[in-house]
Amino acid sequence: MTSPSAPRKPGFRDDIQGMRAIAVITVIAAHAGLPFLPGGYVGVDVFFVISGFLITQLLVTEAARTGRLSLPTFYARRARRILPAASVVLVLTVIASLIWMSVLEAIDLAKDALWSAVFAANIRFAHQGVDYFANEAAPSPVQHYWSLAVEEQFYLVWPLLVGLCFWWAAERHGRRAGALHALLVLVAAIATASLVWSMLRTDTAPQSAYFSTLTRAWELAVGAGVAIVVHSGRTLRGRVTNEVVAWGGLAAIAGACVAFDAGLAFPGYAALLPVLGTAAVLYSGARQNSRTTWAARMLSLAPMRAVGDWSYSLYLWHWPLLVIPVAALGRDLRTVEVLLMVALTFELGYFTHRFVETPFRTKRAWSRPRRTLVLYPVFLALVGSTAGAGWAWSDYRVSEHGDNPAISTAQFGIAEQGAEDLVRASVLAAQADLPVPSDLTPDLLDLLDDLPDVGDCLYEGGADWELCPRGDDDGTKTLVVVGDSHARAWVPAFDVIAERAGYRAFYLVKAQCTAAFVSPSEVFTGEPWPECDDFHDWTREQIEALDPDLLVVSSAAPITGLTDGDGRRLRSLDDISAALRVGLADMLETYQPLADRLVMLSDVPRLAVDPAVCLSTFGVGLADCTLAPDVTGTQMRELATGVATQVGVEEIDPAAWLCADGLCPTVVGSTIAYRDRGHISATRAAELAEPLGEALGIWSPEEPSEP
């Protein structure tokens, strides 16, 4: 099946369409999980270089021919190219989310779509990427719009700079010959600055660097530089030379696709391989006789040209088609299902190219800039109204309606004597398939923000850490809590305990940095994370200085990976377990003599589902969101218990306050017990101050609750 395309313009390069085909195929293959192309995401970098080349070629040709640039014409051309297909996919993706995704996921998608509509999706996703507590969230079905945002942000500025260079050359020299030289110097400066920033930022904040226009601008600038050099007439001579350069470039791209993986810090210096490879292919094909080379012939084959023609629509469709079914099914797609989604991607890509892209790009009615520029407000209105309506409808669906009562022990004839009894009642309510209580605490919309307050002591970044006293300012005893974000989750309970029992409390807790003396890999990249080792050293020094009456350690297993002494990443569960067993014992044996009393508060059972997603899925009951604990999490809890017993350290297991009869309800009474799969909510933690205080022996059950 082929699509009718507009006649090729003079100088049109079919080999570039072939490069577009390679770029989109590698991206789809990587996202579909093809095992031998884990680095296929570099296809986006190939797109950036091609885009920088073609757009700059267009701008320079116009400026050199007419002495000026028509910005309305340029942005009208971009509107015809980008907006129609982007709006169709965005609108249909928002509608699909309302049908097949949970309510909270649909609300998040509506927000993502609004950011995408103003070409700022990369800013939103960069901001979300720095949130450790959001790292388990499923990717947005429109996350791939970040690359469109990067391009459009670059092209807000680039035409102005090109026009300025030509104006400066004409004013200073009375001719436009010097403009290309000035433009090349400008491109070199932009590329150098952006590349240096990309390397620095990728090393210090890789999760946000990936989406940043500032760390990606050099890739577009490389394409722009090739276009300027080609326009000036400096091309390679000789078929053999062109052939070697072209195949070398293709080999570089292929090498990146095969050798890179999701754990690589990117873009940084690693992006040089696919970027320079793409530049080599573009440069080698610049001569008129370039199609005589075998590389150009291969890239210009009819199937490659067709896929290149459809590449934009294919790119837009592939990601939501791979993400939304996973959310709808609540599991990863099977191989056959992935193949069906890829096939549907090509079907929708073809139809979108033929019936949406092509008419807007070729019909005479859209050739006038003034008329075409209207597409921008129309696009905003269409996507904005759809996303706004979806957001409002989803917000209504998740808001409190009805009169379903909270779960109580009396419903099941249980005499409530402790926190365990309400948990048992909540499991029985789920087994009876009762509806979710109407009045949940915290509200579902606020669940992700239900984080414990640790004041100024988040302990992010490097070594300028300070102590933040909490609890009773006049307390004569000292409580220290050590661990990662799972220890932080208990802060609301420890605040109550410290205030009532007269303790000065110090929370030495750092997200992702497990209490065990091991070196976790950086959660977003898998790279070594020496900052955690530094925090261990600092924590040990503070404990020695504070001489605590009670020291509580609590943390989760670093299942994202560990780094051994040689800087090698440990990924398998067996390797992590072996290292963790040693690290836990080392930590407990080191801390035991530093405090009057050392207690290990075991990690909470890990859920197999995300509570927010489950509870906000239309039509679910308590039974749907009450499941057995995650198997891997259970193994890690048993490992920690074994180590504590071996070392002779007292242990408190909170499992009975959250689970009963092998099941963990996401709703206990009317409280949402977990804020995500592994962290209890701050609200539930505060409710557990009483049983935790009793388990610690700080007060007796008969002691009044109020100080």
Side-chain angles (χ1 to χ4, degrees), residues 528-560:
W529 192 40
E531 185 180 311
C532 184
D533 296 327
D534 294 340
F535 188 73
H536 286 156
D537 294 339
W538 182 82
T539 297
R540 184 165 50 246
E541 293 171 2
Q542 305 315 306
I543 294 172
E544 290 176 349
L546 290 169
D547 187 23
D549 299 273
L550 174 60
L551 173 60
V552 180
V553 296
S554 182
S555 65
I559 56 177
T560 56

Side-chain angles (χ1 to χ4, degrees), residues 62-414:
E62 179 184 348
R65 186 181 70 252
T66 66
R68 58 186 293 273
L69 285 177
S70 172
L71 293 180
T73 300
F74 172 79
Y75 290 117
R77 191 181 293 113
R78 294 296 295 170
R80 290 199 306 271
R81 167 67 174 154
I82 298 296
L83 298 183
S87 60
V88 167
V89 176
L90 268 181
V91 166
L92 292 179
T93 301
V94 170
I95 294 172
S97 74
L98 298 175
I99 300 172
W100 287 300
M101 298 179 74
S102 74
V103 178
L104 290 187
E105 288 172 321
I107 291 175
D108 280 342
L109 178 57
K111 297 175 183 177
D112 295 341
L114 291 173
W115 282 84
S116 299
V118 295
F119 298 109
N122 62 324
I123 298 173
R124 173 167 172 80
F125 296 129
H127 176 72
Q128 290 179 327
V130 302
D131 183 3
Y132 168 75
F133 292 96
N135 75 84
E136 288 189 349
S140 168
V142 296
Q143 183 170 291
H144 60 318
Y145 274 72
W146 75 269
S147 60
L148 297 185
V150 168
E151 286 197 13
E152 297 314 301
Q153 290 164 21
F154 185 83
Y155 293 133
L156 276 177
V157 178
W158 185 235
L160 299 176
L161 295 178
V162 173
L164 186 62
C165 283
F166 275 87
W167 172 84
W168 172 83
E171 286 291 314
R172 182 164 182 172
H173 302 290
R175 54 192 177 87
R176 297 188 291 272
L180 289 179
H181 182 266
L183 199 56
L184 195 58
V185 171
L186 179 62
V187 164
I190 292 173
T192 302
S194 174
L195 178 58
V196 170
W197 179 245
S198 179
M199 291 178 177
L200 294 173
R201 193 64 176 164
T202 300
D203 184 54
T204 57
Q207 56 272 32
S208 60
Y210 188 87
F211 298 107
S212 172
T213 300
L214 297 179
T215 62
R216 298 286 190 163
W218 70 273
E219 302 181 22
L220 291 130
V222 166
V226 174
I228 296 167
V229 171
V230 169
H231 185 84
S232 67
R234 297 184 180 90
T235 56
L236 294 174
R237 299 185 180 277
R239 175 178 170 179
V240 173
T241 303
N242 277 284
E243 199 83 76
V244 170
V245 172
W247 285 110
L250 291 173
I253 296 170
C257 290
V258 173
F260 293 0
D261 60 26
L264 178 69
F266 200 84
Y269 68 87
L272 283 165
L273 188 61
V275 167
L276 296 181
T278 305
V281 177
L282 293 175
Y283 189 49
S284 69
R287 288 182 61 82
Q288 291 296 322
N289 64 348
S290 62
R291 285 199 59 186
T292 61
T293 64
W294 285 105
R297 287 181 180 182
M298 183 272 290
L299 292 171
S300 302
L301 291 173
M304 298 291 285
R305 296 199 313 269
V307 174
D309 288 344
W310 310 342
S311 60
Y312 177 54
S313 290
L314 290 173
Y315 180 76
L316 292 178
W317 278 116
H318 88 283
W319 187 244
L321 287 175
L322 291 172
V323 171
I324 292 178
V326 172
L329 296 171
R331 59 170 174 79
D332 292 337
L333 297 181
R334 300 185 177 96
T335 301
V336 173
E337 293 166 337
V338 171
L339 292 175
L340 287 174
M341 290 301 102
V342 171
L344 184 57
T345 294
F346 276 83
E347 192 71 17
L348 291 176
Y350 161 74
F351 282 113
T352 305
H353 171 74
R354 178 170 182 176
F355 296 111
V356 179
E357 283 191 75
T358 301
F360 279 95
R361 293 171 64 185
T362 60
K363 295 293 184 183
R364 182 172 297 179
W366 297 105
S367 62
R368 297 178 181 177
R370 289 184 180 179
R371 180 177 296 178
T372 305
L373 288 173
V374 175
L375 287 174
Y376 282 106
V378 170
F379 169 69
L380 283 173
L382 179 62
V383 176
S385 60
T386 304
W391 187 347
W393 170 237
S394 299
D395 189 68
Y396 173 79
R397 285 170 58 187
V398 80
S399 58
E400 295 175 358
H401 303 290
D403 54 1
N404 298 330
I407 303 162
S408 68
T409 53
Q411 289 175 274
F412 301 95
I414 299 174

Side-chain angles (χ1 to χ4, degrees), residues 588-670:
L588 294 175
E589 290 168 351
T590 299
Y591 287 162
Q592 203 165 29
L594 302 182
D596 291 348
R597 181 184 176 199
L598 173 63
V599 176
M600 186 175 79
L601 176 60
S602 296
D603 191 23
V604 299
R606 181 178 171 84
L607 297 182
V609 297
D610 185 295
V613 171
C614 188
L615 292 170
S616 66
T617 299
F618 188 70
V620 299
L622 288 172
D624 301 292
C625 303
T626 301
L627 299 171
D630 173 74
V631 174
T632 301
T634 300
Q635 293 175 351
M636 293 295 102
R637 279 170 32 82
E638 291 172 351
L639 183 153
T641 297
V643 173
T645 301
Q646 173 191 336
V647 177
V649 169
E650 180 183 352
E651 179 194 15
I652 295 175
D653 187 353
W657 306 332
L658 296 158
C659 307
D661 300 325
L663 295 173
C664 302
T666 56
V667 177
V668 176
S670 61

